Amino acid sequence: MPPDATDRLATDVQFLKGIGPKLAMPLHKLGLRTVGDVLWHLPRRYEDRRNLPPINKARAGQAATVRGRIVGVSSRPTKGGKMIFKARLADATGEIALVWFNQPYVGKQMQKAYQDQVDIVAFGMVKEGARYELEMSSPEWETLDEDDDPDEFARLHPVYPLTEGVPQWVVRRAARAAVEFYAQDLVDPLPDDLRKKHKLQKLSWCMRQMHRPDSPEMQQEARRRLVFEEFLFLQVALQMRRQEVQQEVGISFPISQLAGVGQTSGNLFAALEEAHQGDLWEQVHAMLPFDLTGAQRRVVGEVWADMERPVPMNRLVQGDVGSGKTAVAACAMLAAVRCGYQAALMAPTEILAEQHFFNLSKLFAPVGINVKLLVGKQSASDKRKALQATESGEAQICVGTHAVIQEAVKFHKLGLAVVDEQHRFGVVQRMALRQKGFGNPDFLVMTATPIPRTLTMTLYGDLDLSVIDELPPGRKAIKTHWRQPYERPQVYAGVRKLVQEGRQAYFVCPMINESEKMQTQAAEDLYYRLKSQEYADLRVGLLHGQMKAAEKEAVMDSFRRHELDILVSTVVIEVGVDVPNASAMVVEDANRFGLAQLHQLRGRVGRGSTQSFCVLVADAKTPDVQKRMEVLRDTTDGFVIAEEDLKIRGPGDLAGTRQSGEIEFKIASLVDDGHMLEEARRAAIALLDADSALQQPGHALILERVRARRSDEALIVVS
Ligand code: ADP
Ligand code: MG
């Protein structure tokens, strides 16, 4: 229960009107012990009983509420030996039959209603019964006493989430009593001015409208407020964390000075370009075999400006697959090293770390910067050497897995940490790493593929954001096809044609049960089949994660040198591989991959100047698979794909193994409530601008809620 509960809200559910100790038991099963718990147990949906036609206007196929008196009752056995009970309900316009199967107690009640001639209301789906008669089977119903308001029945009724053995009516009764007698005790954590500004209703009003809505519009208005509130507490927590980092003393890298340009209020990279001279400018050019795109320049400028500021950098760089995030990270690391610090790059897996190491070693060789690799499976002596080099400062850049860098490494003078996330690294790990730094190191976070905007704002809401929204020049959009397994012969023929034109191709086998062994098996099987049958006359190679690093490198090298036409591989090639002449990719059993992963894979082709193709071979057994294949076929924009992925999979799955507490919302939805999230974020920023520590009395309850959130985080840290 939220911490604003007054004593009255802590009242045991058994004291609710109409509940008592016996009905309290099923409520306990749902985890509802206090009145406050009941209030915050919100309906899953609503049953709309407002359609109240005269009986002769009721139509089969519609849900309706009918009102009248019982004009006849009858019962008869079915063939299966059960009883059917029928009561005829009539108003001034017509008749409808209410039908129950095997419910003798309802039969008795109807009999009584018939004798007493009381008014009845009933709600259910109207059907056409025997002899064109209208009927409703097993309707919800009530007798109406003189002073009962039929509108009480014919309204929106809440449908609550339940567990086994808990009847809906018990929860409804408890909630109704809770709303009636206790909703006014809810203390509103949002001050009046904030509510006015965002056009939000009072909490007690919202609670009433959630449990007993007067109309769908009012329920929506109530929900809107609760969503806002939920997002607001999170956003305030994130912004406070951001503030805390901003108050720390970080490293001020003297980049302008190094670059020979004065302090600039514009983009630092642009200033450097303009000056067209100096050590840093020359080194950037010596390092990169290409000119940076406009977007890359802008982002490097943003990163460098952060590095120069005396507060620790906390920045997320997002860009589509192939947008050139590595070059941006390299520019940041170059600046750190030239300012006399070490830089670290951390990847979530060993394969990724190796790929980064390979790419960065190549980039940094011309400028004489020493890069070292640190992964778990290195030989003891290699690892010891790398550790020593890192501790002595001889290794200027250290590339490794998150685990290794966090646990084993001592740095001489760590100034910048680049985190390659893939949704696997969390706030807590970032904090832990901070302690390894020399002072407070700067942080640059990169994600492999774009992530949806709502997730960015929740998972990375405490970071500044840079977006590389441009691809390097000369890229042709990849053509993606989706083929059924029985169409493989045509697919193979198509690849053969490209190979005959001098191109190369990848065949990718899926991850099976997360098991590397089974993946390897699948790739080996395909490799032997292609090599001995379809492509017996071509040069076919094999690459998988269980090969030794040197073997992998040898295979990759021969593929790069075009000594192989076809490379059969596991998802090892997902990242970092860069062979412009490879212009086709066939993904086998593509249905086993997630959207983001397929997008990342597809990014391995389309790097040269010729038209590239990606063929997804997948049997669409479910609508979900069909949707994923169509999304990939129809768009190459990673940001669009990320939003679709969120819609298909939901936020929990998208966040992967990252701790997901931050994206678990009681009411709000990251899929549907994006605009509210934006609004709450702006509100949080404005709130802290006005009252940075939430010291004003009107903000005390917000502070309390935010603290409650943050103490959950603290729990994660110690466990
Ligand atoms: P990602 O953002 O997916 O990590 P990479 O950093 O791996 O992308 O870059 C993708 C490819 O584009 C690499 O081959 C890289 O060398 C190349 N590249 C990056 N920036 C540029 C640029 N400005 N001009 C030309 N090629 C570039
Ligand atoms: Mg990359």
Side-chain angles (χ1 to χ4, degrees), residues 290-293 296 320-327 448 472-473 475 578 604 607:
F290 43 71
D291 285 332
L292 292 178
T293 62
Q296 284 171 319
D320 205 345
V321 175
S323 63
K325 294 180 286 283
T326 312
R475 297 272 170 87
D578 198 10
R604 297 306 107 199
R607 292 171 168 246

Side-chain angles (χ1 to χ4, degrees), residues 422-685:
Q422 284 210 328
H423 315 245
R424 288 187 209 182
F425 206 64
V427 167
V428 176
Q429 287 90 328
R430 286 206 290 272
M431 302 239 186
L433 193 89
R434 175 153 282 143
Q435 289 157 8
K436 295 239 164 208
F438 181 84
N440 274 310
D442 277 356
F443 261 90
L444 192 63
V445 180
M446 307 192 293
T447 57
T449 56
I451 57 178
R453 178 144 176 82
T454 51
L455 267 183
T456 307
M457 280 191 283
T458 37
L459 290 173
Y460 302 98
D462 55 333
L463 308 189
D464 296 311
L465 179 63
S466 288
V467 181
I468 312 179
D469 50 5
E470 181 186 351
L471 292 180
R475 297 272 170 87
K476 276 216 179 75
I478 301 161
K479 286 204 175 118
T480 302
H481 301 286
W482 168 26
R483 294 287 178 259
Q484 301 294 322
Y486 62 79
E487 295 176 288
R488 279 201 180 96
Q490 290 95 301
V491 174
Y492 291 159
V495 170
R496 170 179 290 279
K497 195 158 160 285
L498 284 174
V499 168
Q500 279 161 352
E501 288 166 12
R503 308 270 89 82
Q504 291 162 278
Y506 300 103
F507 277 78
V508 183
C509 294
M511 177 83 120
I512 302 167
N513 303 330
E514 304 271 325
S515 145
E516 208 167 323
K517 259 219 181 77
M518 289 178 74
Q519 254 188 92
T520 301
Q521 187 65 48
E524 280 175 344
D525 290 350
L526 181 66
Y527 167 70
Y528 289 117
R529 204 183 74 220
L530 292 181
K531 198 176 144 76
S532 60
Q533 297 171 25
E534 279 86 357
Y535 299 135
D537 54 330
L538 302 180
R539 299 165 301 173
V540 185
L542 171 68
L543 184 71
H544 60 71
Q546 293 196 312
M547 288 160 64
K548 292 211 177 69
E551 288 175 309
K552 267 190 279 188
E553 209 32 67
V555 172
M556 276 316 304
D557 266 346
S558 41
F559 192 64
R560 269 185 216 111
R561 286 198 298 264
H562 202 168
E563 292 159 11
L564 293 171
D565 301 306
I566 286 169
L567 184 61
V568 178
S569 161
T570 57
V571 284
V572 173
I573 60 154
E574 190 181 340
V575 275
V577 177
D578 198 10
V579 181
N581 190 48
S583 64
M585 169 172 290
V586 178
V587 184
E588 295 280 348
D589 295 334
N591 48 301
R592 290 176 181 269
F593 293 96
L595 263 183
Q597 200 176 19
L598 284 170
H599 178 61
Q600 173 78 17
L601 272 171
R602 179 170 63 178
R604 297 306 107 199
V605 294
R607 292 171 168 246
S609 50
T610 52
Q611 178 63 56
S612 290
F613 300 91
C614 175
V615 184
L616 308 168
V617 180
D619 197 359
K621 289 223 174 63
T622 61
D624 179 88
V625 171
Q626 175 153 353
K627 180 89 197 139
R628 270 187 287 156
M629 297 305 130
E630 286 170 356
V631 167
L632 273 158
R633 188 191 59 198
D634 299 340
T635 178
T636 52
D637 182 333
F639 287 90
V640 174
I641 290 171
E643 298 294 337
E644 292 296 329
D645 208 7
L646 175 65
K647 278 189 227 155
I648 297 171
R649 285 204 288 166
D653 279 344
L654 268 193
T657 54
R658 200 182 161 107
Q659 75 245 12
S660 57
E662 298 195 329
I663 53 165
E664 274 163 18
F665 296 101
K666 216 172 152 51
I667 307 155
S669 149
L670 288 179
V671 181
D672 302 322
D673 299 319
H675 57 289
M676 280 313 276
L677 181 54
E678 307 257 7
E679 190 171 343
R681 181 176 175 81
R682 285 193 300 273
I685 292 168

